[in-house]
């Protein structure tokens, strides 16, 4: 059975219109011109954008400057001095921890030495008093004399033991002091390296920031001459496509996704008006036509 009238895509007939009523006529507005691209059996309609070829070429200049700004940002983040300073700071932190431990040990030894020396002094004073008492002849009882002499001998032994303790503590303290001096010197050396690397990093950052300022100013000048609609679409796509919003059509290939265009797409681009802003079917970036496009 043949068809008797227009059908919708899903195959159903449209509702009958009253006799004598004509369907509305779609008026053509150049500023709202649309193009379609197939998607299965349907078509996805996208608003068409027009811009002078010279404006589209300038958009490539804006893209080049944006790429340069991305490269400078990456260079700034990837300066070798960043890793160098981070590594040196880790070393310095470790050295400072060791230094604090050595200083604490030295301080503990100092207190221990002071306490041991005080103990020796007390024993020495007590032994001196006993010896003075013995020498004075004030003690006449043989038993008391024997006890006093025994105590003096015990105090002498006690004093000798305490003096050995003092010597041992002094040796530990001296070792801790040497460790403190060594770690202090090493920490100072590492700090010097950090200061040097920081100065080199700051100089490199200053140079990069100077170039960023220059490129940014140049971009502002060129972007200011690109129509707002075109620049707005470019900025949107650039945010979505990893920093690349517009690409040159070179030798029939999109320089954004590095894909060669299909013959049907190339034919559509050939037939498009020079001021039509075309997009890559693969990556959806703006495609800018030049004499090297291979059309």
């Amino acid at each position: 059975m043949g068809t008797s009238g227009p059908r919708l895509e899903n195959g159903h007939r449209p509702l009958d219109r009253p006799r004598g009523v004509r369907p509305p006529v779609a008026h053509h507005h150049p500023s709202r011109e649309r193009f379609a691209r197939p998607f299965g059996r349907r078509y996805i309609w996208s608003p068409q954008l027009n811009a002078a070829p010279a404006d589209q070429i300038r958009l490539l200049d804006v893209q080049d400057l944006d790429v340069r700004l991305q490269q400078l940002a990456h260079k700034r983040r990837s300066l070798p001095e960043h890793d160098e300073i981070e590594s040196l700071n880790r070393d310095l932190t470790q050295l400072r921890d060791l230094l604090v431990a050595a200083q604490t040990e030295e301080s503990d030894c100092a207190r221990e030495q002071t306490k041991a020396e005080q103990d020796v002094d007390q024993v020495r004073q007590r032994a001196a008093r006993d010896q003075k008492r013995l020498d004075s002849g004030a003690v006449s009882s043989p038993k008391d004399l024997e006890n006093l002499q025994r105590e003096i001998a015990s105090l002498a032994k006690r004093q000798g033991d305490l003096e050995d303790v003092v010597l041992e503590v002094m040796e530990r303290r001296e070792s801790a002091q040497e460790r403190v001096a060594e770690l202090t010197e090493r920490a100072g050396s590492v700090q010097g390296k950090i200061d040097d690397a920081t100065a080199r990093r700051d100089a490199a950052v200053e140079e990069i920031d100077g170039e960023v300022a220059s490129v940014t100013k140049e971009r502002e000048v060129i972007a200011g001459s690109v129509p707002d609609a075109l620049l707005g679409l470019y900025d949107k796509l650039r945010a979505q496509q990893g920093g690349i919003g517009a690409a040159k059509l070179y030798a029939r290939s999109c320089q954004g996704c590095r894909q060669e265009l299909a013959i049907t797409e190339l034919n559509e681009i050939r037939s498009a008006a020079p001021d039509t802003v075309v997009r890559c079917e693969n990556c959806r970036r703006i495609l800018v036509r030049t004499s090297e496009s291979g059309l």
Side-chain angles (χ1 to χ4, degrees), residues 118-139:
Q118 289 174 347
D119 292 343
V120 169
D121 190 57
Q122 288 176 358
V123 171
R124 184 184 295 115
Q125 290 177 10
R126 183 175 176 182
R129 286 195 305 268
D130 287 350
Q131 186 64 46
K132 183 178 180 181
R133 184 182 176 194
L134 179 63
D135 295 341
S136 68
V139 179

Side-chain angles (χ1 to χ4, degrees), residues 196-240:
D196 176 70
T198 300
R200 287 187 278 111
R201 180 203 63 190
D202 292 346
V205 167
E206 183 178 359
E207 181 179 353
I208 292 172
D209 288 348
E211 187 174 354
V212 167
S214 176
V215 173
T216 300
K217 184 175 181 180
E218 183 179 359
R219 185 197 189 277
E220 291 175 352
V221 172
I222 298 177
S225 64
V226 177
D228 291 342
L230 179 61
L231 188 64
L233 175 61
Y234 161 76
D235 286 334
K236 178 181 178 181
L237 293 173
R238 185 165 65 92
Q240 297 172 349

Side-chain angles (χ1 to χ4, degrees), residues 130-294:
D130 287 350
Q131 186 64 46
K132 183 178 180 181
R133 184 182 176 194
L134 179 63
D135 295 341
S136 68
V139 179
S140 58
S141 170
K143 183 177 181 180
D144 290 343
L145 285 172
E146 182 181 356
N147 290 337
L148 185 58
Q149 290 172 342
R150 188 181 297 113
E151 183 177 354
I152 291 174
S154 176
L155 289 172
K157 184 179 183 306
R158 174 63 175 162
Q159 180 177 335
D161 292 342
L162 289 174
E163 287 175 345
D164 289 341
V165 171
V166 171
L167 289 175
E168 187 270 333
V169 173
M170 289 177 64
E171 289 176 355
R172 286 195 285 114
R173 183 182 181 185
E174 183 178 353
S175 177
Q177 289 172 335
E178 291 175 353
R179 181 69 170 158
V180 168
E182 176 196 356
L183 290 170
T184 300
E185 182 180 358
R186 289 172 59 186
S189 175
V190 172
Q191 183 61 62
K193 293 178 181 179
I194 291 175
D195 294 341
D196 176 70
T198 300
R200 287 187 278 111
R201 180 203 63 190
D202 292 346
V205 167
E206 183 178 359
E207 181 179 353
I208 292 172
D209 288 348
E211 187 174 354
V212 167
S214 176
V215 173
T216 300
K217 184 175 181 180
E218 183 179 359
R219 185 197 189 277
E220 291 175 352
V221 172
I222 298 177
S225 64
V226 177
D228 291 342
L230 179 61
L231 188 64
L233 175 61
Y234 161 76
D235 286 334
K236 178 181 178 181
L237 293 173
R238 185 165 65 92
Q240 297 172 349
Q241 300 290 343
I244 306 296
K248 181 188 295 185
L249 177 59
Y250 178 80
R252 303 182 180 183
S253 295
C254 170
Q255 295 300 288
C257 60
R258 303 293 178 177
Q259 296 291 321
E260 184 174 353
L261 273 62
I263 187 64
T264 54
E265 188 177 358
L266 287 171
N267 288 335
E268 291 177 359
I269 294 176
R270 287 192 187 100
S271 63
D275 64 345
T276 299
V277 176
V278 297
R279 306 261 298 272
C280 173
E281 282 291 320
N282 182 58
C283 66
R284 303 304 298 150
R285 294 182 174 96
I286 298 170
L287 272 180
V288 179
R289 291 165 284 175
T290 69
S291 59
E292 300 175 315
S293 296

Side-chain angles (χ1 to χ4, degrees), residues 46-156:
S46 302
Q48 180 60 57
L49 179 64
N50 295 328
D55 292 334
Q56 297 185 44
I57 294 294
R58 279 194 291 272
L59 191 61
L60 287 180
D61 295 334
V62 174
Q63 178 67 83
D64 289 341
L65 293 172
D66 282 333
V67 169
R68 181 56 184 158
L69 289 173
Q70 286 180 308
Q71 293 171 341
L72 290 171
H74 176 74
K75 182 179 180 181
R76 195 181 195 276
R77 293 191 303 268
S78 305
L79 286 172
E81 288 79 8
H82 292 315
D83 290 338
E84 182 180 358
I85 293 171
E86 184 178 354
S87 177
L88 288 170
N89 275 321
R90 286 196 298 268
D91 293 343
L92 183 60
T93 298
Q94 184 178 10
L95 286 172
R96 285 175 172 170
D97 290 342
L98 294 173
L99 178 58
V100 169
Q103 290 171 332
T104 301
E105 182 181 0
E106 193 278 332
S107 179
D108 291 343
C109 287
R111 286 193 296 269
E112 189 176 348
Q113 179 181 342
T114 299
K115 176 65 169 57
E117 289 174 342
Q118 289 174 347
D119 292 343
V120 169
D121 190 57
Q122 288 176 358
V123 171
R124 184 184 295 115
Q125 290 177 10
R126 183 175 176 182
R129 286 195 305 268
D130 287 350
Q131 186 64 46
K132 183 178 180 181
R133 184 182 176 194
L134 179 63
D135 295 341
S136 68
V139 179
S140 58
S141 170
K143 183 177 181 180
D144 290 343
L145 285 172
E146 182 181 356
N147 290 337
L148 185 58
Q149 290 172 342
R150 188 181 297 113
E151 183 177 354
I152 291 174
S154 176
L155 289 172

